[in-house]
Amino acid sequence: MYSVDFDEIKNLQYQGKWDEAAKIMMDSARKLEAGGADFIVLCTNTMHKMAKEMEESVTIPLLHIADATAKELVKDGIKKVALLGTAFTMEQDFYKGRLLDKFGLDVIIPGESERTIVHDIIYQELCLGVIKDESKQSYLRIIDQLSQQGAEAIILGCTEITLLISQEDCRVPLYDTTRLHAESAVDFALSEDGL
């Protein structure tokens, strides 16, 4: 296991210094491989923006969080899904594009003002351990809007969102990327491929 300084990463994200963030992630991947890891699980959605660079910096596999989620969606027959997460995850193509190109999923995201709400709640509240009922109601309103736009399910594409909402709060199925990714890692570790 290797942890990075979240504040440093967050600052690089906001400054658009993705190359510098990628260097940190590649260095972390190399340290994990040198330490004897059989594979890498990157426990964040947004930083999968650097998944390709990380994969290219090591010889061990990286289990992609979007793949673990998409496999479950496909298995459940979901074709149109909404994605909630940081603005980076919702707006950039590294996540949505993978869901479409590799798994054929139709991915929708909230409108601009709603994306700002989702993003700000993540960084200004959830990442700091602050849980507010009004924020929960905002998320539920946004989820309802996405459902009305045809989303058959919602991807909770940020590891902190489950601090705020759960399946019991929603009529539409929620796909918790954190849980699905962890289960995928266990399955891989116990499989012959993971040996």
Side-chain angles (χ1 to χ4, degrees), residues 25 31 34 45 62 69 71 80 102 112 120 127 156 158 161 176 181:
M25 302 313 295
K31 287 177 181 175
N45 288 271
L62 175 122
T69 304
K71 287 174 186 173
K80 186 172 186 176
K102 192 169 179 183
E112 184 177 353
D120 288 349
C127 287
L156 304 181
C158 175
I161 294 176
D176 175 5
H181 199 207

Side-chain angles (χ1 to χ4, degrees), residues 3 10 20 31 44 51 69 83 111:
S3 294
K10 180 186 77 166
E20 289 182 40
K31 287 177 181 175
T44 167
T69 304
L83 174 62

